[in-house]
């Protein structure tokens, strides 16, 4: 004596999201009343139920129960053939357990989820996008991306060209849209485009397998040239899987905004610059050159018309103030003016022509911080010094004041921190009479730092003077 159980169908086909049923008949061949627990075993147990799950039978009787299969439309319900077993466990005689089996075919379905990021790009020639794809179907799928643009003004490239995705797997493709030519000037152009994402076979216009037999394998073709869904006959014992076999192809919208290389305002700026240059060369520049030429001619004419007070007269005497043709033996020439002035203590007269020689001297002044130091060059007796050049060196960068005098005349007072090297040149020499001096007085506030990087203990300035040293015309 034993327990017998038999499933109604030897094979069963079910589509994800649909429901398929079969029967299980249990017979009690024992001589006692037996209760049986019915339990689903195998990979399909999660979404298979037996109603009722427990039966009680008298000896020699049987009962038929319903087995319901309802796989979800998710990647978890993998497509393929799977064994389905029902364990029939007697309560009184558990050693007589039996497990009838059948084969269940889960049909495949294809569903993709896609997104394009960013949706809009700006650039001179090309824009780069990311296309993320997720396989929501229950079978492995090779995904292809097909971009298209109505006017064919853009060229596209995808990397990689296709993806192989397992159920529930996601990946990303890189898409590049490139314009055919640059826009040098003018307005920006907007190029909208579409990206179709689908299985590779559907992208090529081939039928997509939907599980089971596909009849004669022929598919229709729509007016837009895209592959139509394959025609799959319904299994006799299950609902027609038309919805599950339909290939879903997400359609993504993108946009590339092509910018001009040079903006419009740059053209206006270039035109304005060219107009200004033309105006300068045609109008302003000739007027400036004419004004400069007239000013130079006027200066030359004034110089020719002005007589030189020191020029010798035909008799060989030098004109002096007051009309004394014999000169002023006791007079002194004011430095830099060329005009004789009264000397001190019966000073010498004018320089003797033809006796002048080039001469130079260096005045070295050193003084500590907070002190005042003086250096000088004294003109020899019987000579007159016509100074034409003066160079001052403050190589340490000292801080303070230097005062330069020629005789009793102050030439300049300069702040030391405003220069390192300073030079002066005179067209009309500054005349220093005999026995008088060129003096440099330095008031040191703070010694500077020379190139060695260590602060100097004293202020140190050098003055170099150059000019002509001539004999004095003696009065007779």
């Amino acid at each position: 004596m034993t327990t017998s159980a038999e499933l109604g169908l030897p094979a069963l086909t079910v589509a994800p999201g649909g429901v398929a049923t079969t029967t299980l008949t249990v017979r009690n061949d024992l001589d006692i009343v037996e209760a049986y627990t019915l339990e689903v075993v195998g990979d399909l147990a999660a979404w298979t139920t037996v109603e009722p799950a427990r039966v009680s039978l008298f000896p020699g009787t049987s009962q038929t129960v319903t087995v319901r299969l309802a796989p979800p439309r998710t990647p978890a319900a993998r497509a393929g053939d799977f064994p389905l077993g029902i364990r029939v466990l007697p309560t009184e005689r558990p050693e007589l357990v039996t497990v009838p089996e059948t084969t269940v075919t889960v049909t495949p379905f294809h569903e993709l989820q896609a997104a394009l990021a960013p949706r809009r790009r700006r650039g001179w020639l090309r824009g780069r996008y990311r296309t993320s794809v997720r396989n929501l179907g229950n079978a492995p799928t090779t995904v292809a991306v097909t971009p298209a643009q109505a006017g064919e003004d853009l060229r596209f490239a995808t990397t990689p060209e296709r993806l192989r995705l397992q159920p529930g797997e996601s990946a990303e493709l890189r898409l590049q849209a490139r314009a055919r030519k640059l826009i040098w000037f003018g307005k920006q152009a907007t190029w909208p485009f579409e990206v179709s994402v689908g299985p590779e076979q559907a992208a090529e216009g081939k039928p997509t397998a939907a599980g089971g037999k596909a009849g004669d394998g022929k598919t229709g073709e729509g007016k837009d040239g895209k592959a139509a869904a394959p025609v799959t006959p319904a299994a006799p014992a299950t609902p027609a899987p038309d919805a599950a076999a339909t290939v879903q192809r997400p359609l993504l919208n993108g946009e590339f905004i092509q910018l001009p290389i040079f903006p419009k305002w740059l053209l206006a700026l270039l035109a304005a610059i060219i107009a200004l240059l033309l105006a300068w060369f045609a109008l302003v520049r000739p007027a400036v050159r004419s004004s400069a030429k007239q000013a130079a001619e006027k200066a030359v004419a004034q110089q020719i018309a002005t007589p030189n007070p020191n020029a010798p007269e035909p008799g060989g005497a030098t004109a002096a103030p007051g009309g004394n043709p014999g000169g002023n033996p006791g007079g002194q020439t004011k430095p830099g003016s060329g005009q004789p002035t009264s000397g001190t203590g019966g000073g010498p007269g004018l320089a003797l022509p033809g006796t002048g020689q080039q001469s130079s001297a260096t005045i070295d002044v050193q003084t500590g911080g907070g002190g005042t130091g003086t250096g000088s060059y004294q003109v020899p007796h019987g000579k007159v010094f016509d100074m034409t050049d003066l160079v001052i060196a403050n190589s340490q960068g000292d801080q303070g004041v230097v005062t330069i005098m020629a005789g009793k005349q102050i030439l300049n007072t300069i702040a030391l921190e405003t220069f390192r090297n300073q030079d002066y040149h005179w067209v009309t020499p500054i005349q220093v009479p005999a026995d008088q001096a060129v003096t440099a007085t330095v008031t040191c506030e703070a010694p500077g730092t020379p190139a060695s990087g260590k602060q100097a203990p004293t202020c140190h300035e050098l003055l170099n003077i150059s000019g002509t040293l001539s004999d004095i015309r003696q009065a007779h």
Side-chain angles (χ1 to χ4, degrees):
M1 296 184 178
T2 184
T3 299
S4 62
E6 183 181 1
L7 286 168
L9 293 175
L12 191 65
T13 300
V14 63
V19 177
T21 59
T22 186
T23 59
L24 173 67
T25 302
V26 182
R27 181 177 179 81
N28 182 8
D29 292 330
L30 302 176
D31 55 0
I32 61 174
V33 176
E34 184 64 273
Y36 299 92
T37 302
L38 309 178
E39 180 184 0
V40 181
V41 293
D43 296 334
L44 309 182
W47 35 269
T48 304
T49 59
V50 180
E51 300 174 356
R54 183 181 176 86
V55 295
S56 181
L57 299 176
F58 288 100
T61 61
S62 63
Q63 183 176 343
T64 300
V65 298
T66 302
V67 179
R68 183 183 300 271
L69 295 87
R73 189 178 173 84
T74 65
R78 296 293 183 94
D81 297 332
F82 302 92
L84 175 65
I86 308 295
R87 181 188 291 120
V88 181
L89 180 64
T91 303
E92 299 296 332
R93 303 286 299 273
E95 69 276 7
L96 300 178
V97 63
T98 182
V99 182
E101 293 185 356
T102 186
T103 300
V104 178
T105 299
V106 180
T107 60
F109 73 94
H110 299 279
E111 183 175 345
L112 297 174
Q113 183 183 58
L116 183 68
R119 197 185 70 82
R120 180 184 292 109
R121 278 287 194 186
R122 298 173 182 268
W124 288 333
L125 190 61
R126 62 176 60 87
R128 294 181 173 87
Y129 307 81
R130 300 185 310 276
T131 305
S132 56
V133 185
R134 182 180 179 86
N135 183 9
L136 299 181
N138 65 342
T141 304
T142 300
V143 179
V145 173
T146 307
Q149 193 258 337
E152 297 185 355
D153 299 291
L154 299 178
R155 290 179 291 180
F156 299 94
T158 57
T159 307
E161 293 184 355
R162 56 185 61 83
L163 291 173
R164 180 70 176 177
L165 298 179
Q166 296 298 323
E169 186 181 3
S170 60
E172 190 175 88
L173 297 94
R174 294 183 296 275
L175 172 66
Q176 176 179 279
R178 187 180 189 276
R180 294 188 176 273
K181 59 182 180 180
L182 291 169
I183 300 177
W184 292 101
F185 297 96
K187 298 181 180 179
Q188 64 184 23
T190 302
W191 311 112
F193 60 90
E194 294 180 346
V195 179
S196 177
V197 182
E200 183 180 19
Q201 296 88 344
E204 297 175 357
K206 298 179 181 179
T208 303
K213 296 183 179 180
D216 58 359
K218 296 182 180 180
T219 59
E221 182 173 344
K223 295 181 179 180
D224 57 355
K226 297 183 180 179
V231 179
T232 305
T238 58
D242 294 341
T246 302
V247 178
Q248 299 184 10
R249 297 175 57 82
L251 192 62
L252 310 176
N253 294 319
E255 192 175 73
F256 176 60
I257 301 177
Q258 187 178 6
L259 304 176
I261 300 297
F262 301 106
K264 294 178 64 177
W265 58 263
L266 184 59
L267 290 176
L269 179 61
L270 291 176
I273 293 175
I274 293 174
L276 289 175
L277 290 175
L278 292 176
W280 167 262
F281 285 105
L283 302 175
V284 180
R285 186 180 180 187
V288 171
R289 295 180 63 179
S290 176
S291 299
K293 183 177 180 181
Q294 292 177 3
E297 292 176 350
K298 183 177 180 181
V300 172
Q302 290 179 352
Q303 185 175 1
I304 294 175
T306 303
N308 187 356
N310 294 329
E313 296 182 357
T318 302
N324 185 3
N328 184 9
Q332 175 182 326
T333 305
K334 185 178 180 180
S337 65
Q339 300 291 339
T341 59
S342 59
T344 58
L350 299 177
L352 184 64
T355 61
Q357 294 183 354
Q358 292 294 324
S359 179
S360 65
T362 300
I363 303 173
D364 191 332
V365 184
Q366 298 187 41
T367 180
T372 301
T374 303
S376 63
Y377 163 72
Q378 186 170 356
V379 179
H381 182 74
K383 300 286 187 178
V384 61
F385 182 57
D386 292 327
M387 184 170 59
T388 57
D389 302 279
L390 171 64
V391 180
I392 313 170
N394 178 19
S395 59
Q396 298 180 163
D398 301 328
Q399 298 182 14
V401 178
V402 58
T403 301
I404 305 167
M405 300 181 64
K408 296 182 180 181
Q409 178 185 5
I410 297 177
L411 298 182
N412 205 347
T413 300
I414 318 171
L416 294 175
E417 56 269 21
T418 61
F419 72 95
R420 287 297 180 100
N421 289 282
Q422 187 77 290
D423 59 297
Y424 299 92
H425 309 278
W426 294 277
V427 176
T428 302
I430 295 180
Q431 199 171 75
V432 186
D435 301 324
Q436 295 194 20
V438 178
T439 305
T441 303
V442 176
T443 301
C444 179
E445 295 181 1
T449 303
S452 62
K454 184 178 179 181
Q455 186 175 13
T458 61
C459 292
H460 189 188
E461 276 64 52
L462 292 174
L463 281 79
N464 183 272
I465 55 177
S466 301
T468 304
L469 193 63
S470 307
D471 294 332
I472 296 177
R473 183 194 302 273
Q474 299 296 330
H476 297 288

PDB file of all heavy atoms in Angstrom, residues 288-316:
ATOM      1  N   VAL A 288      48.580 116.388 -36.284  1.00  0.00           N
ATOM      2  CA  VAL A 288      49.585 116.381 -35.216  1.00  0.00           C
ATOM      3  C   VAL A 288      50.964 116.672 -35.779  1.00  0.00           C
ATOM      4  O   VAL A 288      51.744 117.452 -35.213  1.00  0.00           O
ATOM      5  CB  VAL A 288      49.539 115.027 -34.479  1.00  0.00           C
ATOM      6  CG1 VAL A 288      50.705 114.913 -33.514  1.00  0.00           C
ATOM      7  CG2 VAL A 288      48.220 114.867 -33.732  1.00  0.00           C
ATOM      8  N   ARG A 289      51.296 116.018 -36.891  1.00  0.00           N
ATOM      9  CA  ARG A 289      52.615 116.257 -37.481  1.00  0.00           C
ATOM     10  C   ARG A 289      52.766 117.700 -37.940  1.00  0.00           C
ATOM     11  O   ARG A 289      53.834 118.308 -37.798  1.00  0.00           O
ATOM     12  CB  ARG A 289      52.810 115.306 -38.664  1.00  0.00           C
ATOM     13  CG  ARG A 289      52.845 113.837 -38.250  1.00  0.00           C
ATOM     14  CD  ARG A 289      53.049 112.919 -39.422  1.00  0.00           C
ATOM     15  NE  ARG A 289      54.336 113.157 -40.071  1.00  0.00           N
ATOM     16  CZ  ARG A 289      54.760 112.464 -41.129  1.00  0.00           C
ATOM     17  NH1 ARG A 289      53.984 111.529 -41.654  1.00  0.00           N
ATOM     18  NH2 ARG A 289      55.940 112.718 -41.666  1.00  0.00           N
ATOM     19  N   SER A 290      51.702 118.295 -38.468  1.00  0.00           N
ATOM     20  CA  SER A 290      51.769 119.690 -38.913  1.00  0.00           C
ATOM     21  C   SER A 290      51.969 120.623 -37.722  1.00  0.00           C
ATOM     22  O   SER A 290      52.768 121.558 -37.781  1.00  0.00           O
ATOM     23  CB  SER A 290      50.486 120.030 -39.674  1.00  0.00           C
ATOM     24  OG  SER A 290      50.477 121.389 -40.050  1.00  0.00           O
ATOM     25  N   SER A 291      51.257 120.364 -36.608  1.00  0.00           N
ATOM     26  CA  SER A 291      51.408 121.214 -35.422  1.00  0.00           C
ATOM     27  C   SER A 291      52.805 121.101 -34.853  1.00  0.00           C
ATOM     28  O   SER A 291      53.415 122.099 -34.439  1.00  0.00           O
ATOM     29  CB  SER A 291      50.365 120.810 -34.373  1.00  0.00           C
ATOM     30  OG  SER A 291      49.060 120.988 -34.881  1.00  0.00           O
ATOM     31  N   ALA A 292      53.357 119.884 -34.788  1.00  0.00           N
ATOM     32  CA  ALA A 292      54.710 119.709 -34.263  1.00  0.00           C
ATOM     33  C   ALA A 292      55.736 120.408 -35.143  1.00  0.00           C
ATOM     34  O   ALA A 292      56.689 121.028 -34.648  1.00  0.00           O
ATOM     35  CB  ALA A 292      55.030 118.217 -34.159  1.00  0.00           C
ATOM     36  N   LYS A 293      55.557 120.335 -36.438  1.00  0.00           N
ATOM     37  CA  LYS A 293      56.498 120.985 -37.351  1.00  0.00           C
ATOM     38  C   LYS A 293      56.448 122.500 -37.189  1.00  0.00           C
ATOM     39  O   LYS A 293      57.486 123.173 -37.148  1.00  0.00           O
ATOM     40  CB  LYS A 293      56.150 120.582 -38.785  1.00  0.00           C
ATOM     41  CG  LYS A 293      57.113 121.140 -39.820  1.00  0.00           C
ATOM     42  CD  LYS A 293      56.751 120.653 -41.213  1.00  0.00           C
ATOM     43  CE  LYS A 293      57.710 121.213 -42.251  1.00  0.00           C
ATOM     44  NZ  LYS A 293      57.356 120.760 -43.621  1.00  0.00           N
ATOM     45  N   GLN A 294      55.245 123.062 -37.039  1.00  0.00           N
ATOM     46  CA  GLN A 294      55.133 124.517 -36.858  1.00  0.00           C
ATOM     47  C   GLN A 294      55.764 124.953 -35.551  1.00  0.00           C
ATOM     48  O   GLN A 294      56.439 125.994 -35.480  1.00  0.00           O
ATOM     49  CB  GLN A 294      53.649 124.900 -36.893  1.00  0.00           C
ATOM     50  CG  GLN A 294      52.997 124.722 -38.260  1.00  0.00           C
ATOM     51  CD  GLN A 294      51.517 125.036 -38.234  1.00  0.00           C
ATOM     52  OE1 GLN A 294      50.988 125.435 -37.202  1.00  0.00           O
ATOM     53  NE2 GLN A 294      50.851 124.849 -39.381  1.00  0.00           N
ATOM     54  N   ALA A 295      55.578 124.173 -34.469  1.00  0.00           N
ATOM     55  CA  ALA A 295      56.173 124.537 -33.182  1.00  0.00           C
ATOM     56  C   ALA A 295      57.693 124.505 -33.258  1.00  0.00           C
ATOM     57  O   ALA A 295      58.383 125.372 -32.695  1.00  0.00           O
ATOM     58  CB  ALA A 295      55.671 123.578 -32.092  1.00  0.00           C
ATOM     59  N   ALA A 296      58.258 123.494 -33.949  1.00  0.00           N
ATOM     60  CA  ALA A 296      59.711 123.421 -34.080  1.00  0.00           C
ATOM     61  C   ALA A 296      60.253 124.596 -34.892  1.00  0.00           C
ATOM     62  O   ALA A 296      61.283 125.198 -34.536  1.00  0.00           O
ATOM     63  CB  ALA A 296      60.099 122.095 -34.739  1.00  0.00           C
ATOM     64  N   GLU A 297      59.596 124.940 -35.981  1.00  0.00           N
ATOM     65  CA  GLU A 297      60.055 126.069 -36.790  1.00  0.00           C
ATOM     66  C   GLU A 297      59.980 127.370 -36.007  1.00  0.00           C
ATOM     67  O   GLU A 297      60.867 128.225 -36.109  1.00  0.00           O
ATOM     68  CB  GLU A 297      59.209 126.150 -38.061  1.00  0.00           C
ATOM     69  CG  GLU A 297      59.429 124.987 -39.020  1.00  0.00           C
ATOM     70  CD  GLU A 297      58.493 125.054 -40.214  1.00  0.00           C
ATOM     71  OE1 GLU A 297      57.562 125.900 -40.180  1.00  0.00           O
ATOM     72  OE2 GLU A 297      58.678 124.263 -41.172  1.00  0.00           O
ATOM     73  N   LYS A 298      58.942 127.530 -35.161  1.00  0.00           N
ATOM     74  CA  LYS A 298      58.811 128.756 -34.363  1.00  0.00           C
ATOM     75  C   LYS A 298      59.923 128.855 -33.337  1.00  0.00           C
ATOM     76  O   LYS A 298      60.487 129.932 -33.094  1.00  0.00           O
ATOM     77  CB  LYS A 298      57.447 128.756 -33.688  1.00  0.00           C
ATOM     78  CG  LYS A 298      57.158 130.012 -32.878  1.00  0.00           C
ATOM     79  CD  LYS A 298      55.747 129.959 -32.299  1.00  0.00           C
ATOM     80  CE  LYS A 298      55.474 131.230 -31.484  1.00  0.00           C
ATOM     81  NZ  LYS A 298      54.119 131.188 -30.887  1.00  0.00           N
ATOM     82  N   ALA A 299      60.287 127.709 -32.704  1.00  0.00           N
ATOM     83  CA  ALA A 299      61.350 127.722 -31.701  1.00  0.00           C
ATOM     84  C   ALA A 299      62.688 128.072 -32.330  1.00  0.00           C
ATOM     85  O   ALA A 299      63.491 128.824 -31.766  1.00  0.00           O
ATOM     86  CB  ALA A 299      61.423 126.360 -31.006  1.00  0.00           C
ATOM     87  N   VAL A 300      62.954 127.528 -33.517  1.00  0.00           N
ATOM     88  CA  VAL A 300      64.216 127.843 -34.200  1.00  0.00           C
ATOM     89  C   VAL A 300      64.264 129.320 -34.582  1.00  0.00           C
ATOM     90  O   VAL A 300      65.298 129.987 -34.424  1.00  0.00           O
ATOM     91  CB  VAL A 300      64.364 126.943 -35.439  1.00  0.00           C
ATOM     92  CG1 VAL A 300      65.555 127.386 -36.275  1.00  0.00           C
ATOM     93  CG2 VAL A 300      64.524 125.493 -35.007  1.00  0.00           C
ATOM     94  N   ALA A 301      63.140 129.852 -35.039  1.00  0.00           N
ATOM     95  CA  ALA A 301      63.120 131.270 -35.426  1.00  0.00           C
ATOM     96  C   ALA A 301      63.355 132.174 -34.224  1.00  0.00           C
ATOM     97  O   ALA A 301      64.081 133.172 -34.303  1.00  0.00           O
ATOM     98  CB  ALA A 301      61.774 131.596 -36.081  1.00  0.00           C
ATOM     99  N   GLN A 302      62.779 131.829 -33.059  1.00  0.00           N
ATOM    100  CA  GLN A 302      63.009 132.642 -31.856  1.00  0.00           C
ATOM    101  C   GLN A 302      64.454 132.574 -31.404  1.00  0.00           C
ATOM    102  O   GLN A 302      65.030 133.562 -30.945  1.00  0.00           O
ATOM    103  CB  GLN A 302      62.078 132.161 -30.745  1.00  0.00           C
ATOM    104  CG  GLN A 302      60.604 132.480 -30.978  1.00  0.00           C
ATOM    105  CD  GLN A 302      59.718 131.947 -29.859  1.00  0.00           C
ATOM    106  OE1 GLN A 302      60.177 131.228 -29.000  1.00  0.00           O
ATOM    107  NE2 GLN A 302      58.440 132.329 -29.919  1.00  0.00           N
ATOM    108  N   GLN A 303      65.080 131.398 -31.511  1.00  0.00           N
ATOM    109  CA  GLN A 303      66.471 131.268 -31.088  1.00  0.00           C
ATOM    110  C   GLN A 303      67.390 132.093 -31.979  1.00  0.00           C
ATOM    111  O   GLN A 303      68.352 132.693 -31.520  1.00  0.00           O
ATOM    112  CB  GLN A 303      66.877 129.789 -31.129  1.00  0.00           C
ATOM    113  CG  GLN A 303      68.279 129.528 -30.590  1.00  0.00           C
ATOM    114  CD  GLN A 303      68.591 128.048 -30.528  1.00  0.00           C
ATOM    115  OE1 GLN A 303      67.761 127.236 -30.898  1.00  0.00           O
ATOM    116  NE2 GLN A 303      69.783 127.731 -30.064  1.00  0.00           N
ATOM    117  N   ILE A 304      67.091 132.120 -33.274  1.00  0.00           N
ATOM    118  CA  ILE A 304      67.925 132.917 -34.180  1.00  0.00           C
ATOM    119  C   ILE A 304      67.742 134.405 -33.907  1.00  0.00           C
ATOM    120  O   ILE A 304      68.680 135.186 -33.955  1.00  0.00           O
ATOM    121  CB  ILE A 304      67.560 132.578 -35.642  1.00  0.00           C
ATOM    122  CG1 ILE A 304      67.947 131.112 -35.937  1.00  0.00           C
ATOM    123  CG2 ILE A 304      68.249 133.520 -36.614  1.00  0.00           C
ATOM    124  CD1 ILE A 304      67.513 130.643 -37.303  1.00  0.00           C
ATOM    125  N   ALA A 305      66.492 134.820 -33.589  1.00  0.00           N
ATOM    126  CA  ALA A 305      66.224 136.246 -33.387  1.00  0.00           C
ATOM    127  C   ALA A 305      66.759 136.775 -32.069  1.00  0.00           C
ATOM    128  O   ALA A 305      66.954 137.970 -31.897  1.00  0.00           O
ATOM    129  CB  ALA A 305      64.721 136.512 -33.470  1.00  0.00           C
ATOM    130  N   THR A 306      67.024 135.899 -31.052  1.00  0.00           N
ATOM    131  CA  THR A 306      67.482 136.362 -29.731  1.00  0.00           C
ATOM    132  C   THR A 306      68.995 136.457 -29.724  1.00  0.00           C
ATOM    133  O   THR A 306      69.693 135.459 -29.958  1.00  0.00           O
ATOM    134  CB  THR A 306      67.025 135.383 -28.634  1.00  0.00           C
ATOM    135  OG1 THR A 306      65.613 135.260 -28.699  1.00  0.00           O
ATOM    136  CG2 THR A 306      67.453 135.881 -27.262  1.00  0.00           C
ATOM    137  N   PRO A 307      69.623 137.679 -29.440  1.00  0.00           N
ATOM    138  CA  PRO A 307      71.093 137.824 -29.424  1.00  0.00           C
ATOM    139  C   PRO A 307      71.684 137.175 -28.181  1.00  0.00           C
ATOM    140  O   PRO A 307      71.055 137.095 -27.141  1.00  0.00           O
ATOM    141  CB  PRO A 307      71.297 139.338 -29.419  1.00  0.00           C
ATOM    142  CG  PRO A 307      70.058 139.869 -28.781  1.00  0.00           C
ATOM    143  CD  PRO A 307      68.948 138.961 -29.183  1.00  0.00           C
ATOM    144  N   ASN A 308      72.938 136.676 -28.299  1.00  0.00           N
ATOM    145  CA  ASN A 308      73.660 136.065 -27.176  1.00  0.00           C
ATOM    146  C   ASN A 308      74.374 137.149 -26.409  1.00  0.00           C
ATOM    147  O   ASN A 308      75.233 137.829 -26.943  1.00  0.00           O
ATOM    148  CB  ASN A 308      74.662 135.044 -27.721  1.00  0.00           C
ATOM    149  CG  ASN A 308      75.322 134.253 -26.590  1.00  0.00           C
ATOM    150  OD1 ASN A 308      75.084 134.518 -25.425  1.00  0.00           O
ATOM    151  ND2 ASN A 308      76.178 133.295 -26.990  1.00  0.00           N
ATOM    152  N   PRO A 309      74.051 137.384 -25.105  1.00  0.00           N
ATOM    153  CA  PRO A 309      74.678 138.478 -24.343  1.00  0.00           C
ATOM    154  C   PRO A 309      76.155 138.254 -24.122  1.00  0.00           C
ATOM    155  O   PRO A 309      76.880 139.197 -23.833  1.00  0.00           O
ATOM    156  CB  PRO A 309      73.902 138.484 -23.032  1.00  0.00           C
ATOM    157  CG  PRO A 309      73.327 137.111 -22.896  1.00  0.00           C
ATOM    158  CD  PRO A 309      73.051 136.659 -24.302  1.00  0.00           C
ATOM    159  N   ASN A 310      76.665 137.011 -24.199  1.00  0.00           N
ATOM    160  CA  ASN A 310      78.085 136.745 -23.944  1.00  0.00           C
ATOM    161  C   ASN A 310      78.899 136.728 -25.227  1.00  0.00           C
ATOM    162  O   ASN A 310      80.097 136.457 -25.199  1.00  0.00           O
ATOM    163  CB  ASN A 310      78.263 135.412 -23.230  1.00  0.00           C
ATOM    164  CG  ASN A 310      77.674 135.452 -21.828  1.00  0.00           C
ATOM    165  OD1 ASN A 310      77.676 136.493 -21.210  1.00  0.00           O
ATOM    166  ND2 ASN A 310      77.187 134.295 -21.369  1.00  0.00           N
ATOM    167  N   ALA A 311      78.239 136.947 -26.380  1.00  0.00           N
ATOM    168  CA  ALA A 311      78.970 136.883 -27.646  1.00  0.00           C
ATOM    169  C   ALA A 311      79.935 138.059 -27.754  1.00  0.00           C
ATOM    170  O   ALA A 311      79.578 139.193 -27.441  1.00  0.00           O
ATOM    171  CB  ALA A 311      77.997 136.901 -28.820  1.00  0.00           C
ATOM    172  N   PRO A 312      81.194 137.865 -28.151  1.00  0.00           N
ATOM    173  CA  PRO A 312      82.175 138.955 -28.274  1.00  0.00           C
ATOM    174  C   PRO A 312      81.800 139.884 -29.422  1.00  0.00           C
ATOM    175  O   PRO A 312      81.276 139.456 -30.438  1.00  0.00           O
ATOM    176  CB  PRO A 312      83.495 138.231 -28.550  1.00  0.00           C
ATOM    177  CG  PRO A 312      83.087 136.915 -29.124  1.00  0.00           C
ATOM    178  CD  PRO A 312      81.788 136.553 -28.515  1.00  0.00           C
ATOM    179  N   GLU A 313      82.083 141.180 -29.194  1.00  0.00           N
ATOM    180  CA  GLU A 313      81.807 142.180 -30.218  1.00  0.00           C
ATOM    181  C   GLU A 313      82.965 142.234 -31.200  1.00  0.00           C
ATOM    182  O   GLU A 313      84.031 141.647 -30.973  1.00  0.00           O
ATOM    183  CB  GLU A 313      81.589 143.544 -29.563  1.00  0.00           C
ATOM    184  CG  GLU A 313      80.361 143.570 -28.667  1.00  0.00           C
ATOM    185  CD  GLU A 313      80.155 144.940 -28.077  1.00  0.00           C
ATOM    186  OE1 GLU A 313      81.001 145.805 -28.335  1.00  0.00           O
ATOM    187  OE2 GLU A 313      79.140 145.125 -27.383  1.00  0.00           O
ATOM    188  N   PRO A 314      82.780 142.924 -32.282  1.00  0.00           N
ATOM    189  CA  PRO A 314      83.858 142.989 -33.287  1.00  0.00           C
ATOM    190  C   PRO A 314      85.166 143.447 -32.714  1.00  0.00           C
ATOM    191  O   PRO A 314      86.224 143.068 -33.189  1.00  0.00           O
ATOM    192  CB  PRO A 314      83.315 143.954 -34.338  1.00  0.00           C
ATOM    193  CG  PRO A 314      81.823 143.823 -34.216  1.00  0.00           C
ATOM    194  CD  PRO A 314      81.559 143.592 -32.780  1.00  0.00           C
ATOM    195  N   GLY A 315      85.184 144.297 -31.681  1.00  0.00           N
ATOM    196  CA  GLY A 315      86.439 144.777 -31.106  1.00  0.00           C
ATOM    197  C   GLY A 315      87.099 143.768 -30.217  1.00  0.00           C
ATOM    198  O   GLY A 315      88.166 144.046 -29.674  1.00  0.00           O
ATOM    199  N   GLY A 316      86.511 142.588 -29.972  1.00  0.00           N
ATOM    200  CA  GLY A 316      87.104 141.540 -29.152  1.00  0.00           C
ATOM    201  C   GLY A 316      86.675 141.597 -27.738  1.00  0.00           C
ATOM    202  O   GLY A 316      87.068 140.767 -26.925  1.00  0.00           O
TER     203      GLY A 316
END
